[in-house]
């Protein structure tokens, strides 16, 4: 089984936050294949650059290590993802979340996220 993880889910997981639900934590620690959108990594980099997020190591070192340690693959945007994104209703206006939604729809995978706005789209949300 494969899942796409939302930005906050990834951050809470790699920073050992107690914000994760029991289900989310069990899925993240399972043998399931995990994807993170390159958009999430972009969002994290922006938050680091504007000082809204501090990581325990420089971005490149910390994120690269966490992806490797946790066996998380990066899902890069494909034309099909962007086409779907271009047709999404504007229930959710965050561009990074819209990319995650479109990628999940095209790849037919569930999203591990606490964001209830995802429920407004035709995606499976797990939390």
């Amino acid at each position: 089984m494969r899942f796409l993880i939302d930005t906050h889910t990834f951050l809470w997981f790699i920073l050992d936050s107690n914000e994760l639900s029991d289900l989310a934590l069990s899925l993240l620690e399972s043998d399931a294949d995990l994807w993170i959108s390159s958009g999430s990594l972009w969002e994290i980099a922006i938050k680091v650059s504007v000082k809204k997020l501090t990581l325990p190591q420089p971005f490149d070192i910390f994120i690269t290590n966490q992806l490797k340690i946790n066996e998380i693959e990066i899902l890069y945007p494909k034309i099909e993802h962007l086409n779907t994104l271009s047709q999404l209703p504007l229930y959710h206006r965050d561009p990074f979340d819209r990319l995650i939604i479109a990628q999940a729809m095209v790849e037919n995978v569930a999203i591990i996220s606490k964001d209830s706005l995802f429920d407004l789209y035709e995606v499976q949300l797990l939390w």
Side-chain angles (χ1 to χ4, degrees), residues 7 43 47 91-101 115:
T7 310
E43 181 179 13
K47 288 182 180 201
Y91 305 134
H92 205 314
R93 296 193 176 268
D94 182 291
F96 302 108
D97 289 336
R98 291 173 60 77
L99 176 59
I100 292 167
I101 291 163
D115 191 336

